[in-house]
Amino acid sequence: GSIRLACKMNVPIVAGGLLREGSEYRLVCRRLDKQQAYQSVVEGYFELLAELLDKHPEFWDGLSWFAAQEKVDHGMEVDHGMEICP
């Protein structure tokens, strides 16, 4: 809903990430709403995410989460399914 509303109202949509480079941080930003279309914004977000992860795999916190889950899963039955609420 928020992407569609922002496109409808012509509000800038920006995605970004904070990357650690040694002892410093660099902010990477990209404007995603050039075409003011939901599909374009979503595709742009995933393209940016893929680029960041390709160059900086440590950017995604999910890698740590999966490593922690493997430790929890041993000897336990864990449901990894997602319930989608209407």
Side-chain angles (χ1 to χ4, degrees):
S2 58
I3 294 173
R4 285 189 177 94
L5 181 60
C7 289
K8 182 179 178 180
M9 298 188 71
N10 205 26
V11 174
I13 302 171
V14 179
L18 194 58
L19 303 173
R20 186 171 187 171
E21 295 179 341
S23 62
E24 297 182 359
Y25 290 89
R26 181 169 57 101
L27 179 62
V28 177
C29 296
R30 182 175 298 164
R31 189 163 175 180
L32 302 176
D33 61 328
K34 293 175 186 166
Q35 296 179 9
Q36 286 296 327
Y38 175 82
Q39 179 87 17
S40 175
V41 171
V42 173
E43 287 173 0
Y45 172 75
F46 284 107
E47 287 171 7
L48 175 61
L49 186 58
E51 288 174 28
L52 289 173
L53 292 175
D54 186 46
K55 295 176 185 172
H56 304 277
E58 69 280 3
F59 176 75
W60 187 41
D61 233 7
L63 296 174
S64 301
W65 184 86
F66 282 120
Q69 277 304 111
E70 288 178 14
K71 293 175 186 173
V72 170
D73 289 349
H74 295 295
M76 288 185 163
E77 198 171 308
V78 179
D79 180 11
H80 290 288
M82 290 181 60
E83 183 177 330
I84 299 174
C85 300

